[in-house]
Every structure is written in C-alpha cells, then in structure tokens.
C-alpha cells in the first residue's frame, strides 16, 4: 500500500476502534470485514500456494475487470486475477510498488510467486508487491488448451499437423469466452497500466523474468513516465524471435557444461566422452530403435513400463539445462543410458514432464508467439546439425497455422532505449536467454548494468546474494553503485560422477 492510501486506511482502523470502544450495545457476533483497499481495488485475504515444495504465502487477492479489446471498451470484459503482498514495514512503505512479471509466455504470476517469495524479502521490507496474472493465464480467463486426455502425465509427442488441429479445436472451445487475438503482450501492458492507475501509484518498479523481460521492456517503452526502475532476469531482447534460437542457445550451454567437466579431473576421467557427443550417439541409437524400459514411477514408486525414444532424451537434456543442479546429473544419466540402463532417464523424464505440465497456459502462449514471433522466424540450415535440430522451432510455431492471433504494433521489435535505471541479470550457462542477449539490450540503457552469475542457469533472482542486491537496487535505483562482489562466491555445480553425488 502506498502512503497515499495508508492514511485513509489508518483513519478507518482508528475510527473502527473508536466506535467499538464507545458503542457498548454493539453486537459481538457482527462480522468484521476483512476487506482492504489498495487504491480503488478491494482485496480479501488469501493464501498463495504453488503446489510445489515452496511454503504458502499469505496475501490479499482481488479481481479487476478490463475490456478484452481495449479499443472497444463497451465490448466483452474479462477479469484479471490480482494478488497484493503488503510491505512488511507497511507504515513506512514507499509509494511506488513492485510489479512482478512472469515468464513463459503463459506462466501465472500468482501461481509461481510462492517459489519466488524468499527472493523478494529485502524488496518487500518497504515496498508492496503486486502480482497480475497476465490475461490468458492463471485466474485471468486462462487459455490453457490442455490435451483431452491430460492426466498429469508427460505430454505425448505429436507432429506439427496434430498441434495445428488441436489448436483449432481449443480456439473453437474457448470462442464463447475469449478472442485469442487480444491476448498479446501489447494488450497485457495496457492491463498493467490500468491496474497501476486503479491502485493509485504514479510510478512502479518492474521485475521481469524470462518472457516477463519482454513485457517489462514493452511497458516501459509505452509508458516511460510510469516506471521508476526495472530488473530484467534472463533477458529477451525486443527483436528476439522467442523459440527461434533454442537449438543454438542450448548447443552453446552444452559446450560450456562440457568444458567445465573437462577441467575437473574426476569428471574428465569418469566421462571421457563429453555430453554433446553422448547425446549425439544416444539420439542416433534411439532413432533407430526406441527402448522399452521398466522404471520406477517418480510419484508412486511403483514399477511401470514405458518407452524411451530420441525425443525423450533431448527433451530431458533441454529441461535439465535450465538449472545447474539438474544439469550436473546429465552426464551420469546419459552414461547410464549409453550402457543400456534407461530406467533412471525415464523416471527423471516423467518427473520433469509432470512438474512442467500445466505450468504454462498453452493457448495464451500461442496468442503471443503467433502475433509477435512466428512470422519473423526464418528457418535456415544452421540448426540442422544441432542436438535439438530444426523441428523444435517448427513445433513451437505449429499452432499458428490455425490459432486466431492478432498483430504487433509498429516499433514492437525496436531495441529498448531508455534513461530508466535497469539492472540486467544473466546466468552464464542459461540455455535460452544467454548473457549475450542482455548485452544487446544494455546498449540502449545508459543507466543500466549487467551482472552475469557464473555457473548458473535460467533464473537468478534467488541465488546467492541476489535478493540483497535486488533490494538495494530497487531502493537506490542506481545499478552502477551496487557492490556486486558478493556474487563472486557463486561457482559451478560439479557434475555427478555417481548417483551418490559428485567427487569431493
């Protein structure tokens, strides 16, 4: 809550206490309202839970209506799902809150928050956090497009034509409540500004992760006077074709991980063949003959049977590469598979697929990438010899043949240029938004600074001393004054040489 809004709330609380003290005839059973207002929006207490291991978070929740088509305000309206986390020192809260912008596209800011909450402990001391489920995600008229047989299992592999057919079915099913053309980044930033105005904040601080960095840049480009500071974690430049370079960025991350293994005697001795070569050999083998395997179900522990094919291996390797802790398992899992022991790989693939399944609203993702990226993607032969190959991008954009989608405004892909203070963050081994992306964006930001976290992957806000640095930056709005020496303590996660762990 801002200082501007805390005054009437304090008056209301004082008034309520005064009335309670004077009115001896008051009904003790009368319900006490738990409603709190942030600007003109009424919030109710709620608990945010991710369903993962992260602790639940107490918050205030509300819905907020906006036109589905901002240029037709009398048309259909949709409700945005909001959460407000008051500053822990609420009496001295600063007037400009923090808006957290989730990734994906398709991730719910409210749902993902419990796992991020510890990273914002410093920020929350004197600033409110506002979460807005981007339209089409979470509780904001979600365009989930779950397969008909969705049961929490790993998503089955389908071809491009099947994806396009499924997208057409999903659009038809949602037609009575959503027009997918209006679920783009451009529509979303107008929602954000409507929320900002409603809560009475003249300016906001933006923290965007992954795709959320695109949202932050687009908002700041459209409403520069409304932004005080920006944190971009896992930076996607405005001209990046999201999904168009995964084959290459993953290849680069693999090379860096292999180089790290070669520098460690125990790893180099245990795995004389690097991960890239292991993957090539295994993928070639499984393309010829997928393996039937008996494995332990990662949830129930029951014995099950399943198939491991080339897509199982490349998919697991890609998902593992997001975090150094899981990437450290990759050489060992591949080595086991190369010796015909596929059970660990299959169990881990099931585990990762289930943890990722349902976390992204697929339809909303299609609305974004089909309007903003698909027509800019140019297939070339450079991806032919990569582990992921050219199919990964083809599949990523396959739905666009049938999914109704809007357009992007002129200048959407122009580089972000601004005097606003910006802190840019990258993991050195990030397989999807490598540090060179942030360097490109930094060129247009005279008050920007880029920090690269050594040995880390995608998403750095909660690592090491980053929570402290993020808090300091948002307080000072001076990225160049930060003393980031504490990040030097971060190091590489050594690869596992056995399932007992890594060599000491």
């Amino acid at each position: 809550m801002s200082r501007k809004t805390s005054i009437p709330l304090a008056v209301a609380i004082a008034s309520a206490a005064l009335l309670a003290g004077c009115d001896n005839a008051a009904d003790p059973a009368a319900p006490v309202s738990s409603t709190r207002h942030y600007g003109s929006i009424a919030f109710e207490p709620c608990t945010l839970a991710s369903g993962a291991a992260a602790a639940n978070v107490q918050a205030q929740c509300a819905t907020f209506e906006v036109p589905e088509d901002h240029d037709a305000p009398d048309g259909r309206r949709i409700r945005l799902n909001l959460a407000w986390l008051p500053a822990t020192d609420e009496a001295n809260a600063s007037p400009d809150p923090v808006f957290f912008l989730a990734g994906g596209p398709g991730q719910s800011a409210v749902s993902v928050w419990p796992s991020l909450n510890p990273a914002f402990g410093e920020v929350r001391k004197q600033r409110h956090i506002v979460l807005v489920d981007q339209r089409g995600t979470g509780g904001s008229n979600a365009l989930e497009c779950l397969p008909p047989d969705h049961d929490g299992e790993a998503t089955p592999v389908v071809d491009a034509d099947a994806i396009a057919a499924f997208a057409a079915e999903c659009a038809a099913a949602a037609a009575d409540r959503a027009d997918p053309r209006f679920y783009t980044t451009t529509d979303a930033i107008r929602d954000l500004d409507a929320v900002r105005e409603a809560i009475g904040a003249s300016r906001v601080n933006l923290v965007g992760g992954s795709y959320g960095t695109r949202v932050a840049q687009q908002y700041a480009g459209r409403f520069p006077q409304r932004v005080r500071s920006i944190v971009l974690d896992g930076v996607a430049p405005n001209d990046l074709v999201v999904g168009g370079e995964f084959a290459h960025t993953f290849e680069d991350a693999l090379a860096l991980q292999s180089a790290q293994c070669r520098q460690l005697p125990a790893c180099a001795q245990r795995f004389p063949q690097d991960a890239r070569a292991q993957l090539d050999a295994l993928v070639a083998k499984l393309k010829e003959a997928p393996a039937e395997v008996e494995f332990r179900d990662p949830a129930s522990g029951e014995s099950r049977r399943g198939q491991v094919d080339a897509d199982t291996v490349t998919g697991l390797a890609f998902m593992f590469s997001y975090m150094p802790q899981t990437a450290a398992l990759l050489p060992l899992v591949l080595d086991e598979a190369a010796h015909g022991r596929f059970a660990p790989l299959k169990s881990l693939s099931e585990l990762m697929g289930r943890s990722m399944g349902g976390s992204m609203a697929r339809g909303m993702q299609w609305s974004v990438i089909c309007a903003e990226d698909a027509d800019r993607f140019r297939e070339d032969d450079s991806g032919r010899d990569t582990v992921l190959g050219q199919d990964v991008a083809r599949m990523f954009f396959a739905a666009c043949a049938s999914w109704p989608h809007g357009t992007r405004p002129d200048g959407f892909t122009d580089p972000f240029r601004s005097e606003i203070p910006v802190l840019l963050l990258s993991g050195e081994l990030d397989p999807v938004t490598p540090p060179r992306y942030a360097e490109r964006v930094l060129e247009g930001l005279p008050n920007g600074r880029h920090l690269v976290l050594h040995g880390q992957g995608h998403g750095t806000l909660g690592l090491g001393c980053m929570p402290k640095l993020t808090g300091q930056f948002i307080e000072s709005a001076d990225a160049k004054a930060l003393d980031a020496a504490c990040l030097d303590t971060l190091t590489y996660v050594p690869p596992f040489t056995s399932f007992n762990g890594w060599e000491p």
Side-chain angles (χ1 to χ4, degrees):
M1 177 179 292
S2 69
R3 287 191 176 112
K4 184 182 296 183
T5 56
S6 66
I7 294 173
L9 178 63
V11 171
I13 293 172
S15 300
L18 181 61
L19 288 172
C22 295
D23 186 2
N24 293 329
D27 179 2
V32 177
S33 173
S34 57
T35 302
R36 296 188 61 185
H37 284 80
Y38 192 170
S40 62
I41 303 178
F43 286 81
E44 298 291 342
C46 62
T47 300
L48 308 185
S50 69
N56 295 340
V57 177
Q58 301 305 309
Q60 302 288 321
C61 291
T63 58
F64 180 74
E65 280 198 355
V66 292
E68 185 177 50
D69 177 0
H70 281 282
D71 293 327
D74 295 330
R76 180 162 55 194
R77 299 181 73 79
I78 58 175
R79 289 183 177 181
L80 302 178
N81 184 42
L82 312 183
W84 161 37
L85 296 105
T88 51
D89 185 5
E90 193 168 351
N92 295 304
S94 298
D96 38 68
V98 171
F99 278 21
F100 170 72
L101 310 171
Q107 192 176 47
S108 157
V110 173
S111 295
V112 77
W113 182 261
S115 62
L116 290 169
N117 188 57
F120 285 77
E122 290 293 322
V123 174
R124 282 195 61 188
K125 285 181 178 176
Q126 295 189 358
R127 278 194 166 73
H128 305 292
I129 306 287
V130 176
L131 310 175
V132 181
D133 272 348
Q134 187 166 333
R135 56 170 60 198
T137 73
S140 298
N141 204 26
L143 300 176
E144 292 181 328
C145 292
L146 297 174
D149 58 349
H150 177 77
D151 59 359
E153 301 289 327
T155 303
V157 176
V158 293
D159 62 27
D161 289 341
I163 292 175
F166 173 58
E169 292 175 8
C170 182
D176 63 343
R177 64 175 180 88
D179 184 337
R181 297 176 301 162
F182 301 115
Y183 287 74
T184 67
T185 304
T186 305
D187 297 298
I189 64 173
R190 296 178 74 174
D191 292 342
L192 288 175
D193 201 57
V195 173
R196 177 206 57 76
E197 184 175 13
I199 63 174
S202 59
R203 294 193 302 172
V204 297
N205 302 276
L206 303 174
V207 179
S210 195
Y211 160 72
T213 67
R214 170 183 284 184
V215 181
Q217 292 171 78
Q218 292 294 327
Y219 182 88
R222 175 76 180 272
F223 306 105
Q225 72 281 12
R226 301 303 186 195
V227 182
R228 176 179 171 273
S229 73
I230 306 174
V231 178
L232 303 176
D233 182 25
V235 184
N238 281 338
D239 64 347
L240 177 70
V241 177
V242 171
E245 299 183 10
F246 284 168
H248 299 288
T249 53
F250 175 54
E251 200 80 6
D252 294 342
L254 273 179
L256 289 170
Q257 291 162 2
S258 295
Q260 176 61 17
C261 181
R262 288 195 297 272
Q263 293 176 12
L264 300 172
C267 187
Q269 182 178 4
R270 175 67 176 82
F271 307 112
Q273 191 178 35
D274 69 24
R276 177 66 166 81
Q278 282 182 312
L279 269 173
D280 276 345
L282 198 54
V283 166
K285 179 180 178 180
L286 291 170
K287 280 183 176 176
E288 290 292 325
E292 293 296 325
V293 59
E294 183 171 336
F295 66 100
R296 291 287 181 187
D297 185 285
S300 67
E302 296 176 352
S303 180
R304 295 180 53 195
R305 294 196 64 81
Q307 187 182 77
V308 173
D309 59 19
D311 289 330
T312 312
V313 176
T314 54
L316 180 67
F318 187 56
M319 288 188 286
F320 264 21
S321 66
Y322 272 61
M323 295 189 297
Q325 292 81 4
T326 49
L329 271 169
L330 188 61
L332 179 61
V333 172
L334 295 178
D335 188 69
E336 288 287 299
H339 288 84
R341 297 185 288 271
F342 291 99
L345 189 153
K346 182 62 176 174
S347 292
L348 289 168
S349 176
E350 291 284 321
L351 179 64
M352 296 295 284
R354 294 178 196 180
S355 65
M356 295 290 290
S359 64
M360 299 287 173
R362 194 176 314 193
M364 176 275 189
Q365 185 175 89
W366 291 336
S367 287
V368 169
I369 65 172
C370 295
E372 300 167 14
D373 302 280
D375 66 312
R376 296 188 291 120
F377 174 63
R378 299 289 181 271
E379 186 172 317
D380 59 39
D381 289 338
S382 63
R384 187 184 304 277
D385 296 326
T386 61
V387 172
L388 294 180
Q390 295 166 310
D391 280 348
V392 65
R394 291 176 189 151
M395 299 286 274
F396 197 66
F397 297 119
C400 299
S402 59
W403 184 254
H405 54 274
T407 59
R408 59 183 180 274
D410 292 341
F412 184 88
T413 60
D414 290 349
F416 178 43
R417 300 190 184 284
S418 175
E419 302 285 330
I420 297 170
V422 183
L423 180 63
L424 303 96
L425 308 173
S426 300
E428 180 189 11
L429 307 179
D430 189 330
V432 287
T433 53
R436 65 175 182 275
Y437 288 178
E439 288 298 316
R440 275 164 49 190
V441 175
L442 183 65
E443 292 174 1
L445 305 173
N447 294 314
R449 182 177 178 186
H450 180 206
L451 301 178
V452 179
L453 279 68
H454 297 294
Q456 306 306 311
H458 190 61
T460 66
L461 284 169
L463 301 176
C465 61
M466 270 316 309
K468 182 184 73 173
L469 294 176
T470 302
Q472 290 175 350
F473 167 68
I474 293 180
E475 284 307 303
S476 68
D478 186 350
K480 294 179 180 177
L482 289 177
D483 179 0
C486 57
L487 292 177
D488 294 342
T489 60
L490 290 174
T491 186
Y492 299 92
V493 177
F496 278 52
T497 52
S498 76
F499 284 110
N500 292 324
W502 49 81
E503 293 289 331

